[in-house]
Amino acid sequence: MYNLHEKAEEGLILLRPRILKYFFSNILDFLQPSKIGCHELFSPPVDGVYKFSTPALNEASRDFNERYCAFATDGAAWTVFQNRGPYIEHENFNRSWMDYRNGFGMLDKEFWYGNEFIHQLVDRDDYELRIELTDFNDGKRIVITYNNNIRFLF
C-alpha cells in the first residue's frame, strides 16, 4: 500500500487560482513584467523560474515576484511553493521558523517558497491546491487536487 505520510518528504506542491484569465504568447520569455503570476502563463508550456512585475524583496532578499511555474496539467501554469526531488545535493528542510517564513533553497532545485509569500498569494483569491508525490525508488506517483472537495487522481 502506498503510504502518503512516508512520501511527504519527496514531492511537489502547487497552487493556482480557481478562476483563470487567458493570455497567449508565441515567444517564451521568463521575464513577464506585465503578468502577476504563473496562472497567467499558458504557452509555450515550459516549466521554469519566471519573474513577474518588479522585484519585491523580503528581509532575506528573496523576491516575491520570482516563482517556479509548472505546467502540470492542461491550461495555465501552477505556482510551485515546495519542490523536493532526486537531486545529487539535497536542501536541508530541517530549518527554523524564520527560514520557513522567508523561504529557502534554489527555485530551480529544492526549495520552500516561504510562508509569507504563500500567504500573499492565497490571500488574493480562491485557489486550487495540487500535491504531487513520487517515490523515486519505484516510480509510484500520487496526485491530490483540492478545490472545495478532495479528488484522488491515480
mmCIF file of all heavy atoms in Angstrom, residues 110-139:
data_model
loop_
_atom_site.group_PDB
_atom_site.id
_atom_site.type_symbol
_atom_site.label_atom_id
_atom_site.label_comp_id
_atom_site.label_asym_id
_atom_site.label_seq_id
_atom_site.Cartn_x
_atom_site.Cartn_y
_atom_site.Cartn_z
ATOM 1 N N GLU A 110 15.605 22.239 -5.143
ATOM 2 C CA GLU A 110 14.751 22.014 -3.977
ATOM 3 C C GLU A 110 14.578 23.326 -3.226
ATOM 4 O O GLU A 110 15.544 24.056 -3.016
ATOM 5 C CB GLU A 110 15.375 20.966 -3.048
ATOM 6 C CG GLU A 110 15.420 19.586 -3.664
ATOM 7 C CD GLU A 110 15.891 18.542 -2.684
ATOM 8 O OE1 GLU A 110 16.765 18.828 -1.842
ATOM 9 O OE2 GLU A 110 15.381 17.424 -2.757
ATOM 10 N N PHE A 111 13.322 23.612 -2.808
ATOM 11 C CA PHE A 111 13.069 24.878 -2.129
ATOM 12 C C PHE A 111 11.745 24.852 -1.392
ATOM 13 O O PHE A 111 10.885 24.012 -1.634
ATOM 14 C CB PHE A 111 13.072 26.048 -3.125
ATOM 15 C CG PHE A 111 11.907 26.035 -4.078
ATOM 16 C CD1 PHE A 111 10.735 26.704 -3.768
ATOM 17 C CD2 PHE A 111 11.989 25.358 -5.282
ATOM 18 C CE1 PHE A 111 9.658 26.689 -4.638
ATOM 19 C CE2 PHE A 111 10.917 25.344 -6.162
ATOM 20 C CZ PHE A 111 9.747 26.009 -5.834
ATOM 21 N N TRP A 112 11.601 25.801 -0.480
ATOM 22 C CA TRP A 112 10.335 26.179 0.136
ATOM 23 C C TRP A 112 10.148 27.651 -0.201
ATOM 24 O O TRP A 112 11.016 28.474 0.093
ATOM 25 C CB TRP A 112 10.369 25.968 1.651
ATOM 26 C CG TRP A 112 9.126 26.448 2.322
ATOM 27 C CD1 TRP A 112 8.979 27.601 3.045
ATOM 28 C CD2 TRP A 112 7.849 25.819 2.301
ATOM 29 N NE1 TRP A 112 7.684 27.731 3.480
ATOM 30 C CE2 TRP A 112 6.964 26.642 3.043
ATOM 31 C CE3 TRP A 112 7.348 24.651 1.728
ATOM 32 C CZ2 TRP A 112 5.630 26.322 3.228
ATOM 33 C CZ3 TRP A 112 6.017 24.341 1.912
ATOM 34 C CH2 TRP A 112 5.172 25.160 2.652
ATOM 35 N N TYR A 113 9.033 28.005 -0.833
ATOM 36 C CA TYR A 113 8.809 29.367 -1.318
ATOM 37 C C TYR A 113 8.747 30.394 -0.192
ATOM 38 O O TYR A 113 9.230 31.504 -0.337
ATOM 39 C CB TYR A 113 7.532 29.395 -2.157
ATOM 40 C CG TYR A 113 7.276 30.684 -2.880
ATOM 41 C CD1 TYR A 113 8.228 31.243 -3.727
ATOM 42 C CD2 TYR A 113 6.077 31.359 -2.715
ATOM 43 C CE1 TYR A 113 7.986 32.430 -4.388
ATOM 44 C CE2 TYR A 113 5.827 32.542 -3.374
ATOM 45 C CZ TYR A 113 6.782 33.078 -4.205
ATOM 46 O OH TYR A 113 6.533 34.255 -4.862
ATOM 47 N N GLY A 114 8.181 30.036 0.933
ATOM 48 C CA GLY A 114 8.115 30.941 2.081
ATOM 49 C C GLY A 114 6.686 31.172 2.538
ATOM 50 O O GLY A 114 5.808 31.453 1.718
ATOM 51 N N ASN A 115 6.454 31.029 3.843
ATOM 52 C CA ASN A 115 5.102 31.180 4.395
ATOM 53 C C ASN A 115 4.517 32.561 4.120
ATOM 54 O O ASN A 115 3.334 32.687 3.795
ATOM 55 C CB ASN A 115 5.111 30.929 5.901
ATOM 56 C CG ASN A 115 5.469 29.502 6.240
ATOM 57 O OD1 ASN A 115 5.476 28.633 5.377
ATOM 58 N ND2 ASN A 115 5.784 29.265 7.499
ATOM 59 N N GLU A 116 5.326 33.607 4.259
ATOM 60 C CA GLU A 116 4.833 34.966 3.998
ATOM 61 C C GLU A 116 4.418 35.119 2.535
ATOM 62 O O GLU A 116 3.376 35.708 2.242
ATOM 63 C CB GLU A 116 5.898 36.004 4.353
ATOM 64 C CG GLU A 116 6.125 36.154 5.835
ATOM 65 C CD GLU A 116 4.964 36.829 6.552
ATOM 66 O OE1 GLU A 116 4.339 37.732 5.968
ATOM 67 O OE2 GLU A 116 4.679 36.437 7.695
ATOM 68 N N PHE A 117 5.223 34.604 1.623
ATOM 69 C CA PHE A 117 4.896 34.693 0.201
ATOM 70 C C PHE A 117 3.645 33.869 -0.127
ATOM 71 O O PHE A 117 2.791 34.314 -0.900
ATOM 72 C CB PHE A 117 6.059 34.222 -0.664
ATOM 73 C CG PHE A 117 7.225 35.175 -0.706
ATOM 74 C CD1 PHE A 117 8.447 34.737 -1.178
ATOM 75 C CD2 PHE A 117 7.126 36.488 -0.292
ATOM 76 C CE1 PHE A 117 9.541 35.597 -1.244
ATOM 77 C CE2 PHE A 117 8.202 37.360 -0.345
ATOM 78 C CZ PHE A 117 9.417 36.913 -0.828
ATOM 79 N N ILE A 118 3.533 32.684 0.435
ATOM 80 C CA ILE A 118 2.350 31.856 0.192
ATOM 81 C C ILE A 118 1.105 32.578 0.693
ATOM 82 O O ILE A 118 0.070 32.611 0.016
ATOM 83 C CB ILE A 118 2.514 30.465 0.832
ATOM 84 C CG1 ILE A 118 3.649 29.707 0.151
ATOM 85 C CG2 ILE A 118 1.209 29.677 0.746
ATOM 86 C CD1 ILE A 118 4.096 28.462 0.886
ATOM 87 N N HIS A 119 1.210 33.188 1.871
ATOM 88 C CA HIS A 119 0.081 33.955 2.405
ATOM 89 C C HIS A 119 -0.302 35.093 1.450
ATOM 90 O O HIS A 119 -1.486 35.319 1.186
ATOM 91 C CB HIS A 119 0.412 34.513 3.790
ATOM 92 C CG HIS A 119 -0.629 35.457 4.300
ATOM 93 N ND1 HIS A 119 -1.849 35.020 4.765
ATOM 94 C CD2 HIS A 119 -0.641 36.801 4.386
ATOM 95 C CE1 HIS A 119 -2.572 36.068 5.126
ATOM 96 N NE2 HIS A 119 -1.858 37.163 4.897
ATOM 97 N N GLN A 120 0.680 35.810 0.925
ATOM 98 C CA GLN A 120 0.399 36.900 -0.016
ATOM 99 C C GLN A 120 -0.303 36.378 -1.267
ATOM 100 O O GLN A 120 -1.186 37.044 -1.804
ATOM 101 C CB GLN A 120 1.689 37.604 -0.422
ATOM 102 C CG GLN A 120 2.288 38.446 0.682
ATOM 103 C CD GLN A 120 3.604 39.072 0.249
ATOM 104 O OE1 GLN A 120 3.749 39.530 -0.873
ATOM 105 N NE2 GLN A 120 4.578 39.072 1.146
ATOM 106 N N LEU A 121 0.071 35.190 -1.719
ATOM 107 C CA LEU A 121 -0.565 34.611 -2.911
ATOM 108 C C LEU A 121 -2.017 34.234 -2.654
ATOM 109 O O LEU A 121 -2.905 34.617 -3.407
ATOM 110 C CB LEU A 121 0.185 33.350 -3.361
ATOM 111 C CG LEU A 121 1.453 33.520 -4.153
ATOM 112 C CD1 LEU A 121 2.110 32.159 -4.361
ATOM 113 C CD2 LEU A 121 1.175 34.183 -5.481
ATOM 114 N N VAL A 122 -2.271 33.456 -1.613
ATOM 115 C CA VAL A 122 -3.607 32.886 -1.405
ATOM 116 C C VAL A 122 -4.575 33.869 -0.773
ATOM 117 O O VAL A 122 -5.787 33.631 -0.794
ATOM 118 C CB VAL A 122 -3.548 31.577 -0.586
ATOM 119 C CG1 VAL A 122 -2.707 30.540 -1.307
ATOM 120 C CG2 VAL A 122 -3.026 31.809 0.814
ATOM 121 N N ASP A 123 -4.076 34.969 -0.231
ATOM 122 C CA ASP A 123 -4.943 35.963 0.380
ATOM 123 C C ASP A 123 -5.716 36.744 -0.675
ATOM 124 O O ASP A 123 -6.703 37.390 -0.367
ATOM 125 C CB ASP A 123 -4.095 36.915 1.240
ATOM 126 C CG ASP A 123 -4.945 37.777 2.143
ATOM 127 O OD1 ASP A 123 -5.889 37.249 2.755
ATOM 128 O OD2 ASP A 123 -4.661 38.993 2.224
ATOM 129 N N ARG A 124 -5.292 36.678 -1.939
ATOM 130 C CA ARG A 124 -5.882 37.478 -3.018
ATOM 131 C C ARG A 124 -7.119 36.859 -3.657
ATOM 132 O O ARG A 124 -7.930 37.544 -4.227
ATOM 133 C CB ARG A 124 -4.854 37.666 -4.142
ATOM 134 C CG ARG A 124 -3.648 38.422 -3.734
ATOM 135 C CD ARG A 124 -2.714 38.508 -4.909
ATOM 136 N NE ARG A 124 -1.496 39.212 -4.537
ATOM 137 C CZ ARG A 124 -0.500 39.405 -5.328
ATOM 138 N NH1 ARG A 124 -0.540 38.962 -6.566
ATOM 139 N NH2 ARG A 124 0.563 40.051 -4.923
ATOM 140 N N ASP A 125 -7.247 35.532 -3.643
ATOM 141 C CA ASP A 125 -8.258 34.880 -4.465
ATOM 142 C C ASP A 125 -8.513 33.480 -3.943
ATOM 143 O O ASP A 125 -7.839 33.022 -3.026
ATOM 144 C CB ASP A 125 -7.737 34.797 -5.915
ATOM 145 C CG ASP A 125 -8.847 34.850 -6.941
ATOM 146 O OD1 ASP A 125 -10.015 34.610 -6.586
ATOM 147 O OD2 ASP A 125 -8.540 35.130 -8.103
ATOM 148 N N ASP A 126 -9.467 32.774 -4.534
ATOM 149 C CA ASP A 126 -9.665 31.356 -4.247
ATOM 150 C C ASP A 126 -8.679 30.565 -5.089
ATOM 151 O O ASP A 126 -8.476 30.871 -6.267
ATOM 152 C CB ASP A 126 -11.086 30.915 -4.613
ATOM 153 C CG ASP A 126 -12.121 31.510 -3.672
ATOM 154 O OD1 ASP A 126 -11.764 31.826 -2.524
ATOM 155 O OD2 ASP A 126 -13.277 31.654 -4.100
ATOM 156 N N TYR A 127 -8.090 29.548 -4.506
ATOM 157 C CA TYR A 127 -7.063 28.766 -5.186
ATOM 158 C C TYR A 127 -7.364 27.289 -5.164
ATOM 159 O O TYR A 127 -8.092 26.807 -4.301
ATOM 160 C CB TYR A 127 -5.694 28.986 -4.516
ATOM 161 C CG TYR A 127 -4.993 30.220 -5.002
ATOM 162 C CD1 TYR A 127 -5.373 31.481 -4.572
ATOM 163 C CD2 TYR A 127 -3.969 30.131 -5.924
ATOM 164 C CE1 TYR A 127 -4.740 32.609 -5.029
ATOM 165 C CE2 TYR A 127 -3.332 31.264 -6.387
ATOM 166 C CZ TYR A 127 -3.719 32.492 -5.945
ATOM 167 O OH TYR A 127 -3.098 33.609 -6.408
ATOM 168 N N GLU A 128 -6.797 26.587 -6.117
ATOM 169 C CA GLU A 128 -6.755 25.135 -6.117
ATOM 170 C C GLU A 128 -5.402 24.728 -5.564
ATOM 171 O O GLU A 128 -4.409 25.408 -5.794
ATOM 172 C CB GLU A 128 -6.832 24.578 -7.540
ATOM 173 C CG GLU A 128 -8.179 24.689 -8.200
ATOM 174 C CD GLU A 128 -8.112 24.084 -9.589
ATOM 175 O OE1 GLU A 128 -7.660 24.790 -10.504
ATOM 176 O OE2 GLU A 128 -8.506 22.922 -9.739
ATOM 177 N N LEU A 129 -5.363 23.618 -4.856
ATOM 178 C CA LEU A 129 -4.114 23.070 -4.355
ATOM 179 C C LEU A 129 -3.905 21.716 -5.014
ATOM 180 O O LEU A 129 -4.811 20.892 -5.059
ATOM 181 C CB LEU A 129 -4.165 22.897 -2.834
ATOM 182 C CG LEU A 129 -2.985 22.188 -2.179
ATOM 183 C CD1 LEU A 129 -1.722 23.036 -2.305
ATOM 184 C CD2 LEU A 129 -3.286 21.894 -0.719
ATOM 185 N N ARG A 130 -2.723 21.492 -5.555
ATOM 186 C CA ARG A 130 -2.368 20.221 -6.184
ATOM 187 C C ARG A 130 -1.091 19.728 -5.520
ATOM 188 O O ARG A 130 -0.111 20.465 -5.426
ATOM 189 C CB ARG A 130 -2.137 20.419 -7.677
ATOM 190 C CG ARG A 130 -1.717 19.169 -8.421
ATOM 191 C CD ARG A 130 -1.485 19.510 -9.901
ATOM 192 N NE ARG A 130 -0.928 18.402 -10.612
ATOM 193 C CZ ARG A 130 -1.636 17.494 -11.275
ATOM 194 N NH1 ARG A 130 -2.952 17.575 -11.289
ATOM 195 N NH2 ARG A 130 -1.047 16.517 -11.914
ATOM 196 N N ILE A 131 -1.121 18.508 -5.037
ATOM 197 C CA ILE A 131 0.049 17.902 -4.407
ATOM 198 C C ILE A 131 0.440 16.691 -5.236
ATOM 199 O O ILE A 131 -0.399 15.822 -5.501
ATOM 200 C CB ILE A 131 -0.247 17.484 -2.955
ATOM 201 C CG1 ILE A 131 -0.681 18.704 -2.138
ATOM 202 C CG2 ILE A 131 0.976 16.801 -2.331
ATOM 203 C CD1 ILE A 131 -1.199 18.375 -0.764
ATOM 204 N N GLU A 132 1.682 16.651 -5.666
ATOM 205 C CA GLU A 132 2.215 15.528 -6.421
ATOM 206 C C GLU A 132 3.332 14.895 -5.594
ATOM 207 O O GLU A 132 4.278 15.580 -5.219
ATOM 208 C CB GLU A 132 2.801 15.979 -7.753
ATOM 209 C CG GLU A 132 1.810 16.632 -8.674
ATOM 210 C CD GLU A 132 2.446 17.111 -9.973
ATOM 211 O OE1 GLU A 132 3.635 16.806 -10.224
ATOM 212 O OE2 GLU A 132 1.755 17.800 -10.728
ATOM 213 N N LEU A 133 3.205 13.623 -5.308
ATOM 214 C CA LEU A 133 4.237 12.894 -4.568
ATOM 215 C C LEU A 133 4.733 11.749 -5.425
ATOM 216 O O LEU A 133 3.932 11.028 -6.022
ATOM 217 C CB LEU A 133 3.684 12.356 -3.249
ATOM 218 C CG LEU A 133 3.156 13.394 -2.266
ATOM 219 C CD1 LEU A 133 2.480 12.710 -1.084
ATOM 220 C CD2 LEU A 133 4.261 14.302 -1.798
ATOM 221 N N THR A 134 6.048 11.569 -5.480
ATOM 222 C CA THR A 134 6.648 10.497 -6.262
ATOM 223 C C THR A 134 7.633 9.732 -5.396
ATOM 224 O O THR A 134 8.455 10.330 -4.709
ATOM 225 C CB THR A 134 7.397 11.059 -7.491
ATOM 226 O OG1 THR A 134 6.480 11.826 -8.268
ATOM 227 C CG2 THR A 134 7.974 9.947 -8.343
ATOM 228 N N ASP A 135 7.545 8.413 -5.431
ATOM 229 C CA ASP A 135 8.535 7.562 -4.777
ATOM 230 C C ASP A 135 9.647 7.353 -5.795
ATOM 231 O O ASP A 135 9.451 6.706 -6.818
ATOM 232 C CB ASP A 135 7.911 6.230 -4.375
ATOM 233 C CG ASP A 135 8.868 5.346 -3.604
ATOM 234 O OD1 ASP A 135 10.093 5.460 -3.803
ATOM 235 O OD2 ASP A 135 8.384 4.537 -2.803
ATOM 236 N N PHE A 136 10.816 7.917 -5.534
ATOM 237 C CA PHE A 136 11.886 7.868 -6.512
ATOM 238 C C PHE A 136 12.569 6.507 -6.563
ATOM 239 O O PHE A 136 13.376 6.264 -7.446
ATOM 240 C CB PHE A 136 12.896 8.984 -6.249
ATOM 241 C CG PHE A 136 12.292 10.334 -6.471
ATOM 242 C CD1 PHE A 136 12.068 11.195 -5.415
ATOM 243 C CD2 PHE A 136 11.901 10.738 -7.738
ATOM 244 C CE1 PHE A 136 11.492 12.430 -5.618
ATOM 245 C CE2 PHE A 136 11.323 11.975 -7.948
ATOM 246 C CZ PHE A 136 11.109 12.825 -6.885
ATOM 247 N N ASN A 137 12.221 5.607 -5.647
ATOM 248 C CA ASN A 137 12.773 4.254 -5.699
ATOM 249 C C ASN A 137 12.012 3.369 -6.680
ATOM 250 O O ASN A 137 12.608 2.613 -7.433
ATOM 251 C CB ASN A 137 12.777 3.610 -4.309
ATOM 252 C CG ASN A 137 13.726 4.318 -3.371
ATOM 253 O OD1 ASN A 137 14.812 4.712 -3.767
ATOM 254 N ND2 ASN A 137 13.302 4.503 -2.138
ATOM 255 N N ASP A 138 10.673 3.471 -6.671
ATOM 256 C CA ASP A 138 9.899 2.599 -7.558
ATOM 257 C C ASP A 138 9.043 3.359 -8.572
ATOM 258 O O ASP A 138 8.333 2.751 -9.367
ATOM 259 C CB ASP A 138 9.030 1.635 -6.749
ATOM 260 C CG ASP A 138 7.978 2.336 -5.897
ATOM 261 O OD1 ASP A 138 7.737 3.541 -6.100
ATOM 262 O OD2 ASP A 138 7.392 1.663 -5.029
ATOM 263 N N GLY A 139 9.097 4.695 -8.552
ATOM 264 C CA GLY A 139 8.387 5.489 -9.549
ATOM 265 C C GLY A 139 6.906 5.668 -9.291
ATOM 266 O O GLY A 139 6.220 6.317 -10.082
#
